[in-house]
Amino acid sequence: MTHLPVGSTARLIGAGLRALLVLTLVCGVVYPLAVTGIAQALFDDKADGSEIRDRSGQVVGSSLIGQRYDLPLKKGQETPDPDLRWFQPRPSNGLGTNSVNTEHSLILSGATNRSGDNAELIRWVQDAKAAVVEDNSTATHRVKPADVPPDAVTSSGSGLDPGISPAYAALQVHRVAERNGLDVEEVEDLVAEHTTGRLLGFLGEPQVNVLELNTALRDLIRGPGGPGRS
């Protein structure tokens, strides 16, 4: 068995330590700082989490994560009722709750994992359609079951999609206008302003970001002078 001289061993150890130091500095300090700097310089909004701010500058959420607009739970309720003053997102039947680390209240992303002919999924869709028709019908505008788009009654793969279709947003306009004492035309204009088209003109589908829309709606309700009637 060949033994290296003590001097050669020391040189190898020294070279390894120098390589470790250099790679630590390059990969652990220089590279992250460079990437962070470039991201902040060129894509500062996206690098900070695609934050949405209201008119006062307060952060209200991220444009990438959907939020629910519900009333406080009543005694005996397991699922809260929707707050019908606001535009509602897609259903989120696939979301789970944290049962391991109960110190924190967490929502777990996920899909329903139900097949198209699953009886429970069919019941969910039927119940959701009936609720959409009832909730969005007003004294002057009646929603028909045939008017309910698919995204109004089905959840996305993550359960956290931030957007809805323009058709689902339009279906909610009369209800939102009535509940907030606004003109239907005002709310329709708000939806149109927050409708984005297909990426590059052909990728994806037009959509409306619910959080952005409701933030603009709250600003409209409050008016230029303050809290107003929210």
Side-chain angles (χ1 to χ4, degrees), residues 78-99:
E78 293 185 2
T79 305
D81 295 325
D83 189 340
L84 298 180
R85 295 176 302 166
W86 307 103
F87 285 91
Q88 293 296 314
R90 296 183 66 170
S92 51
N93 291 332
L95 295 182
T97 54
N98 169 42
S99 59

Side-chain angles (χ1 to χ4, degrees), residues 39-54:
Q40 288 291 341
L42 300 179
F43 313 102
D44 60 323
D45 175 62
K46 292 181 174 60
D48 289 335
S50 301
E51 295 174 337
I52 295 178
R53 298 176 183 270
D54 61 15

Side-chain angles (χ1 to χ4, degrees), residues 155-170:
S155 58
S156 65
S158 67
L160 298 174
D161 271 20
I164 57 175
S165 66
Y168 187 27

Side-chain angles (χ1 to χ4, degrees), residues 122-144:
I122 293 173
R123 178 174 57 80
W124 284 346
V125 170
Q126 292 172 338
D127 291 347
K129 177 176 281 192
V132 168
V133 170
E134 179 181 356
D135 290 344
N136 290 283
S137 294
T138 68
T140 58
H141 178 77
R142 182 68 185 174
V143 174
K144 301 176 183 177

